[in-house]
Amino acid sequence: MPVFKTPFNGYSVRFSPFYESRLAVATAQNFGILGNGRVHVIDLSPNAPVINELIGYDTADGVYDVAWSESHDSVLVAAVADGSIKVYDTALPPHSNPLRSLKEHAREVHGLDYNPTRRDSFLSASWDDSVKLWTLDRPASLRTFREHAYCVYSVAWNPKHADVFASASGDCTVRIWDVREPGSTMIIPGHEHEILSCDWNKYDECLIASASVDKTIKIWDVRNYRVPVSVLNGHGYAVRKIKFSPHRRNLIVSCSYDMTVCLWDFMIEDAIVGRYDHHTEFAVGVDLSVLVDGLMASTGWDELVYVWQQGMDPRAA
């Protein structure tokens, strides 16, 4: 399976929703503490297990996340450590990029999510404890959501309801929001420790997952969130990112500071159905392809991006 070497530490990887062989990768120098960043747009070679860089964009600060536009196949947004969001268009020459820099957050931008149903807007999550709503045609954010008491690490739109999203925070809560409402509509005190990631199930709009420093992933039903539907134990350290499968209702993928990527079926007792230990440093970015069933990608602080088919060895040539 193909591997791509990045000059800096990997932070996030995302499959394109338009091209099955294209991905974007966010990276940061010096483990994101201080230094430059780079956004890589990469393509899988159709004939050989090779990944080619289509284009790269350098930033003065580390890049923590990327998200593809759901309406323009060449546009992506990047979350930068200086509090800005950079907008890139791969169809334009390098000197025309970034298209713009959206600077409102007072601290690092850590997470991004593009609206998959409305396709015209995206969310940013920041260490300034806030979430912001943006559209590409406006230079200023449409709205700021302030309720979390600590860093917001992750945001995720509901796949069925265009106005509903969730945010995960270091204040140990997941909050559910409706952009038409003045404040959050639900607070899930999900974990005893910081919550680093959240994602909605793609087949049941009432199921949401949270991942925490407490090493667990919890699946919640928002109709009755007093007790989780499932608690997934198996990681040895903090769970950094989670993603529900776009193809199978009960599958979720995770990556962790224990350097592993795990695939879970949250409806069965022995929930781990795949464990991949190909990274040699913290595994911090993971994604599943919307276009190709079972195609996975991960990145980590070992400066490597792996793309592989579920059930295969990511390191196999």
Side-chain angles (χ1 to χ4, degrees):
M1 295 284 106
V3 182
F4 180 75
K5 174 78 169 69
T6 60
F8 302 148
N9 307 112
Y11 261 83
S12 176
V13 59
R14 299 275 187 114
F15 283 97
S16 163
F18 293 97
Y19 303 108
E20 61 183 47
S21 63
R22 187 161 298 171
L23 303 93
V25 185
T27 68
Q29 197 174 17
N30 302 317
F31 309 102
I33 297 164
L34 190 67
N36 307 126
R38 187 174 173 90
V39 175
H40 301 267
V41 179
I42 57 178
D43 266 342
L44 303 172
S45 172
N47 304 319
V50 176
I51 298 178
N52 302 307
E53 183 174 58
L54 190 70
I55 196 159
Y57 302 110
D58 292 312
T59 55
D61 299 89
V63 185
Y64 293 153
D65 200 9
V66 281
W68 288 99
S69 165
E70 293 280 350
S71 56
H72 299 87
D73 64 357
S74 59
V75 173
L76 65 157
V77 290
V80 187
D82 65 356
S84 71
I85 299 154
K86 309 284 192 221
V87 183
Y88 299 100
D89 188 339
T90 62
L92 296 177
H95 66 263
S96 301
N97 279 292
L99 275 182
R100 60 183 66 115
S101 181
L102 307 170
K103 180 78 167 77
E104 286 186 19
H105 283 295
R107 290 197 61 197
E108 292 89 333
V109 184
H110 198 262
L112 296 166
D113 198 39
Y114 227 96
N115 194 315
T117 47
R118 190 161 280 145
R119 302 186 175 185
D120 64 346
S121 54
F122 66 92
L123 295 162
S124 59
S126 171
W127 292 2
D128 68 7
D129 311 349
S130 77
V131 175
K132 288 180 182 283
L133 174 66
W134 310 82
T135 56
L136 286 182
D137 58 352
R138 293 173 64 154
S141 63
L142 277 67
R143 188 169 161 199
T144 302
F145 304 86
R146 293 186 195 279
E147 277 186 29
H148 282 294
Y150 196 60
C151 301
V152 188
Y153 295 116
S154 172
V155 275
W157 286 105
N158 187 289
K160 299 276 177 21
H161 301 284
D163 295 303
V164 176
F165 71 91
S167 56
S169 168
D171 66 10
C172 308
T173 69
V174 169
R175 287 174 190 256
I176 314 297
W177 311 76
D178 186 317
V179 297
R180 299 164 296 188
E181 301 291 335
S184 65
T185 57
M186 191 178 299
I187 302 168
I188 303 173
H191 298 260
E192 299 279 304
H193 295 81
E194 291 190 72
I195 303 175
L196 302 181
S197 184
C198 62
D199 196 32
W200 292 94
N201 189 285
K202 306 303 181 263
Y203 292 88
D204 185 338
E205 69 267 30
C206 293
L207 290 182
I208 188 168
S210 59
S212 172
V213 171
D214 69 11
K215 310 182 235 182
T216 71
I217 301 159
K218 295 183 181 180
I219 316 294
W220 309 89
D221 188 323
V222 296
R223 293 164 298 193
N224 179 18
Y225 59 88
R226 298 283 175 257
V227 179
V229 173
S230 181
V231 179
L232 306 178
N233 289 289
H235 279 300
Y237 289 102
V239 185
R240 178 55 184 268
K241 201 164 283 184
I242 47 174
K243 207 85 180 183
F244 272 109
S245 168
H247 299 279
R248 295 166 200 274
R249 179 191 181 274
N250 297 345
L251 279 188
I252 188 167
V253 68
S254 61
C255 62
S256 166
Y257 288 141
D258 68 9
M259 306 186 205
T260 69
V261 172
C262 286
L263 194 64
W264 314 75
D265 181 331
F266 66 86
M267 292 301 288
I268 63 175
E269 192 172 345
D270 295 325
I272 294 184
V273 293
R275 187 192 292 273
Y276 305 93
D277 59 357
H278 49 288
H279 285 289
T280 57
E281 263 289 355
F282 292 168
V284 296
V286 71
D287 199 21
L288 296 168
S289 170
V290 174
L291 302 176
V292 182
D293 188 1
L295 193 63
M296 308 168 69
S298 68
T299 189
W301 283 11
D302 55 7
E303 304 173 357
L304 294 172
V305 180
Y306 289 86
V307 183
W308 74 101
Q309 192 67 31
Q310 179 191 328
M312 304 285 284
D313 182 348
R315 287 165 297 205

